[in-house]
Amino acid sequence: MLHRKNTKLINKLSTALFLAAITLSAPSHSKPVKNTSSPKKVVPAADLSAEDKLFVELREAAKVNDVAKTRTLGSKLESHDLSDYVLYYQIKPQIYDKGAQARVDSSADAAVEAFLKVNAGSAIADRLRNDWLLVLGKRKDWANFDREYVQFVLNDDTQVKCYAIQSRQAKGEDSKQLGHELKNILLDAQYFGEACPEAAQGIYRAGGLSKQEVAAMGRIALENNYEGLAKKFGVDDPIADTVKKARTDPAQAFREFEKKEWRTGRENTAAAWGVIGQFLAKKLDRNAIKAYRLQHEAGHHQLLSPESQEWKVRTALREGDWRLVKESIEGMSPAIRKRDPAWTYWYGRAQKELGDEALAKETFQALIEQFNFYGQLAREDLGMKIHVPKRVIPDESLVKQMSENKGFARAVRFYDMGLRFEGNREWNWELRTLSDKQLIAAAEHAKRIGLYDRAVNTADRTKAEHDFGLRYPTPFKESLSPIANSIGLDSNWAYGLIRQESRFIMAAKSSVGASGLMQVMPSTAKYVAKKIGMTNFKVSELDDMKTNLTLGSNYLNMVLQDLDGSFALASAAYNAGPSRPKLWREKLPRTVEGAIFAETIPFNETRGYVKNVLANASYYTALSSSKSPSLKQKLGMVSPKASVLSELP
């Protein structure tokens, strides 16, 4: 490709600078720590060229920051067509240690600067700039940090944002404003790093945050079992022991705190009951509502973590306490309330249940043009049909342009090597500035070359013009339809599930061993095969598309029958196993709408899964027939019922 040819010579010069900049021997490090944000290990496919196999090996060495190995492998790949990645994989281990921490003593400055200059505007340059900003922030080199930060396109790293806060504070910006921004940044503990506690400490010392606010930030980390990180906030949390106890034994924490609540200040009492309520709610313990009502009486909602605030609403929903639902959402931090349409929808429902029809309608109106679970529910609450917008037909001249796009071709190059993480990075990079019509054309191009997941992902990004046939494609219909029809399975529901499970990637593999379009586990496959008479089934056959669809569809139908025809329970069972939704149903305090059951599923992944699968199914129904789908009807009602042991895996 033209871009590769133009940069190959310059990348060789960058390699020379890099080799001159690095030290001859790597320092000793502790045992490598797995970086959970990195893609899983890739084993080179047998049909790759020898050079591409070396490239995959280089990538794996770079993931664990093996300086010596990346240098050796990189020297053999200077003529590789992905020479910028070859160089990136050699530079990265020089700026991270084997514990995946940015190295203040990195000696790769010249190599980084040369790489960023040569590869300006590329996805991999933005990735390296992200890495480099972590080094510069750790060094407190604010002049160079600021220079690079304004060029960081994606700006999606929480640690980098926290270093940016530190840089602004060093320049004397208003501490109150910085404290407000920091609180909005730290909504998700899993992305915390040392930069964020440092920023909080600095702003606290300058009077921009109160001691209670800093303690609340550390509490978010502690709730997520990041004790070391929580301590780095540098403020003693009077309820830290209660938080630890609630995380491991919320029932015991409830009993213990009831005895000592009177000795605790009002703010800390509110925070403690909020944490206890959260962890009781995740266990579906009936005392969760009592804990949250005690918290509500004490006030100080702003000191609750995002998880505690959200589970307060979910707990009130399970109990049917609509006033508490309404007041809890009103007490949410604005940033938490805005990031999920759930809270807009349930606020409207609370208004409706409390008799304020006018305000309820006004609230629902804010959601009806959102193409998601809550947009569908809001439309039904307003007596409107779930609809598919008018199709914008892909422009053939634009489709041709997309087929010639070097970035998309580069992504396909990665897909061909089995490197989907890098392929998605390159593909998504090209989408950043596209108009709706261009996105539809890019999605059509993806569909034509069999990249259905990219077609879905790309078409999903349009704002005003849409092609739902690309958002909700039906590949392999000639195989799925006969299977579904033969067992009476709703094929639209099956498609909704496949879209969520694999995005139509036939070779999809999960970290726990599920595979194929319907992500069937080997043990499940063996069970279903035996039940339906596939006597000679071998697990290796799961990679066959028709076999995967046959076993997955039959299992989906089995869990539906086992769970009394409830699509909400069966969708949950397909993701989490049949025993869990049975237990969740058994612990319901009353009969609830399927939407409330879905909202209060204690597993984050399964909760999102059920909502997405059933919303997908509605759009597939709307696309495939003149029948108007009803999400509420599909969700049904879910009643408490004693669990019956099932043989289903």
Side-chain angles (χ1 to χ4, degrees):
M1 291 186 185
L2 183 61
H3 174 70
R4 293 174 189 155
K5 289 179 180 176
N6 285 343
T7 60
K8 190 174 290 183
L9 176 60
I10 307 176
N11 274 326
K12 284 186 177 181
L13 295 174
S14 299
T15 303
L17 280 171
F18 163 66
L19 293 172
I22 63 174
T23 54
L24 292 177
S25 61
S28 61
H29 298 290
S30 59
K31 185 178 179 181
V33 176
K34 182 179 179 182
N35 183 351
T36 56
S37 64
S38 299
K40 65 181 181 180
K41 184 175 181 179
V42 172
V43 178
D47 59 350
L48 291 184
S49 68
E51 194 175 46
D52 282 351
K53 287 180 181 179
L54 282 177
F55 182 89
V56 175
E57 193 177 347
L58 170 65
R59 177 217 196 229
E60 296 304 307
K63 279 171 58 178
V64 295
N65 300 314
D66 188 330
V67 175
K69 190 170 184 179
T70 55
R71 187 184 306 132
T72 299
L73 292 170
S75 67
K76 300 176 183 178
L77 290 167
E78 289 184 5
S79 61
H80 196 275
D81 61 322
L82 296 168
S83 56
D84 52 350
Y85 272 80
V86 171
L87 184 53
Y88 169 75
Y89 290 143
Q90 293 174 81
I91 294 174
K92 175 183 169 285
Q94 283 298 304
I95 61 179
Y96 284 110
D97 62 25
K98 289 199 172 183
Q101 298 299 310
R103 289 182 52 184
V104 175
D105 62 345
S106 169
S107 56
D109 299 45
V112 171
E113 290 178 6
F115 186 96
L116 294 177
K117 183 176 181 180
V118 170
N119 298 286
S122 69
I124 193 59
D126 206 55
R127 174 64 258 176
L128 181 59
R129 179 167 280 112
N130 189 164
D131 298 329
W132 190 234
L133 283 166
L134 293 172
V135 172
L136 296 174
K138 197 167 185 176
R139 287 180 183 172
K140 312 302 182 204
D141 182 353
W142 301 130
N144 285 314
F145 178 92
D146 293 345
R147 181 197 68 207
E148 296 298 333
Y149 186 57
V150 295
Q151 300 177 73
F152 183 24
V153 176
L154 294 185
N155 194 21
D156 56 354
D157 188 304
T158 300
Q159 273 224 82
V160 170
K161 291 178 182 179
C162 286
Y163 278 132
I165 291 279
Q166 289 188 45
S167 177
R168 290 166 59 191
Q169 188 185 25
K171 296 177 183 63
E173 288 196 30
D174 180 67
S175 294
K176 288 286 185 184
Q177 176 60 31
L178 293 176
H180 174 74
E181 291 182 30
L182 183 63
K183 284 189 287 186
N184 287 339
I185 289 171
L186 304 187
L187 293 180
D188 194 336
Q190 75 182 80
Y191 297 115
F192 279 18
E194 61 187 26
C196 300
E198 285 179 358
Q201 288 176 13
I203 296 170
Y204 167 57
R205 288 192 295 268
L209 288 169
S210 69
K211 182 177 180 181
Q212 290 81 4
E213 287 174 320
V214 177
M217 291 178 182
R219 197 175 302 134
I220 295 173
L222 191 59
E223 287 177 20
N224 285 272
N225 203 22
Y226 298 122
E227 291 192 30
L229 188 58
K231 291 176 181 176
K232 289 184 178 180
F233 280 88
V235 171
D236 290 333
D237 184 357
I239 65 164
D241 289 340
T242 299
V243 175
K244 293 177 187 177
K245 174 62 73 174
R247 196 177 65 229
T248 57
D249 189 348
Q252 181 64 24
F254 181 91
R255 291 190 293 269
E256 290 180 0
F257 195 72
E258 265 193 317
K259 296 175 182 176
K260 63 181 180 182
E261 174 189 1
W262 63 275
R263 289 180 286 160
T264 312
R266 190 175 180 85
E267 287 186 0
N268 292 323
T269 295
W273 280 127
V275 174
I276 292 168
Q278 174 200 152
F279 286 101
L280 285 171
K282 289 176 178 177
K283 296 283 188 182
L284 306 182
D285 190 308
R286 291 297 305 276
N287 276 328
I289 190 65
K290 182 176 180 181
Y292 270 128
R293 284 171 176 156
L294 289 167
Q295 180 279 321
H296 199 69
E297 291 173 9
H300 300 284
H301 312 297
Q302 70 276 12
L303 295 181
L304 297 184
S305 68
E307 281 277 284
S308 289
Q309 292 186 44
E310 291 172 343
W311 274 103
K312 183 177 180 181
V313 179
R314 294 185 183 116
T315 302
L317 283 171
R318 280 177 66 86
E319 297 290 337
D321 188 340
W322 290 104
R323 185 159 301 282
L324 185 58
V325 170
K326 177 177 179 289
E327 292 176 357
S328 298
I329 294 173
E330 288 173 342
M332 274 183 164
S333 300
I336 297 171
R337 184 173 174 179
K338 289 178 182 177
R339 70 175 179 169
D340 190 337
W343 314 128
T344 300
Y345 175 73
W346 291 117
Y347 190 61
R349 278 297 308 280
Q351 291 168 326
K352 182 177 180 178
E353 298 297 329
L354 294 171
D356 198 331
E357 292 282 349
L359 279 175
K361 288 180 180 178
E362 184 180 336
T363 304
F364 292 142
Q365 284 288 340
L367 294 171
I368 60 174
E369 295 305 321
Q370 292 188 23
F371 299 112
N372 56 37
F373 183 80
Y374 299 102
Q376 291 184 19
L377 290 177
R379 292 184 73 87
E380 290 201 60
D381 273 297
L382 290 171
M384 303 170 69
K385 294 180 179 179
I386 295 171
H387 78 303
V388 171
K390 180 181 178 182
R391 183 191 179 204
V392 174
I393 298 172
D395 183 311
E396 285 298 328
S397 65
L398 289 178
V399 176
K400 186 174 186 297
Q401 286 180 24
M402 298 305 156
S403 71
E404 296 169 350
N405 180 290
K406 293 180 173 62
F408 291 147
R410 186 175 169 86
V412 172
R413 176 79 172 89
F414 280 112
Y415 295 141
D416 288 344
M417 285 193 285
L419 303 179
R420 187 155 291 276
F421 181 86
E422 287 79 2
N424 289 351
R425 174 196 287 149
E426 292 289 335
W427 186 281
N428 293 342
W429 182 260
E430 297 300 315
L431 304 179
R432 294 170 298 116
T433 59
L434 299 188
S435 67
D436 281 357
K437 281 187 170 62
Q438 289 172 316
L439 287 168
I440 290 169
E444 178 66 21
H445 166 58
K447 178 184 175 182
R448 290 179 186 181
I449 61 175
L451 291 175
Y452 295 106
D453 67 308
R454 291 302 92 199
V456 170
N457 173 277
T458 303
D460 257 344
R461 295 170 182 249
T462 58
K463 304 296 183 186
E465 298 180 285
H466 310 286
D467 183 344
F468 265 46
L470 291 169
R471 283 197 187 196
Y472 298 91
T474 55
F476 323 117
K477 193 170 186 177
E478 69 285 353
S479 296
L480 178 62
S481 292
I483 295 167
N485 291 338
S486 70
I487 58 177
L489 180 69
D490 181 349
S491 60
N492 292 313
W493 180 40
Y495 264 120
L497 182 138
I498 295 169
R499 185 183 190 270
Q500 185 64 24
E501 282 283 358
S502 66
R503 281 292 200 269
F504 307 101
I505 301 170
M506 284 195 289
K509 301 282 186 184
S510 79
S511 59
V512 295
S515 63
L517 291 172
M518 297 191 76
Q519 290 292 279
V520 183
M521 292 290 290
S523 58
T524 302
K526 291 176 185 177
Y527 171 85
V528 177
K530 183 178 179 181
K531 283 289 184 182
I532 64 175
M534 292 177 64
T535 54
N536 297 318
F537 170 74
K538 297 183 179 65
V539 170
S540 60
E541 293 178 89
L542 271 177
D543 292 332
D544 175 74
M545 182 256 290
K546 287 188 178 180
T547 301
N548 195 280
L549 289 174
T550 298
L551 295 173
S553 296
N554 273 275
Y555 182 64
L556 185 58
N557 197 46
M558 287 175 185
V559 295
L560 181 65
Q561 302 309 316
D562 188 51
L563 289 159
D564 307 319
S566 168
F567 288 95
L569 289 167
S571 298
Y574 197 92
N575 178 261
S579 62
R580 290 191 176 100
K582 288 182 177 182
L583 176 64
W584 300 336
R585 175 182 63 185
E586 182 182 352
K587 290 193 172 185
L588 284 170
R590 62 194 179 95
T591 297
V592 299
E593 302 166 29
I596 291 177
F597 172 81
E599 190 65 66
T600 59
I601 290 172
F603 290 3
N604 291 344
E605 179 188 323
T606 306
R607 185 167 60 252
Y609 179 91
V610 171
K611 291 187 281 190
N612 288 332
V613 165
L614 293 178
N616 291 346
S618 292
Y619 288 127
Y620 275 112
T621 300
L623 284 165
S624 65
S625 71
S626 57
K627 180 182 176 183
S628 179
S630 170
L631 177 58
K632 290 196 172 192
Q633 184 178 345
K634 203 79 168 177
L635 285 161
M637 302 293 288
V638 180
S639 300
K641 183 177 178 181
S643 293
V644 177
L645 291 177
S646 170
E647 63 174 356
L648 290 173

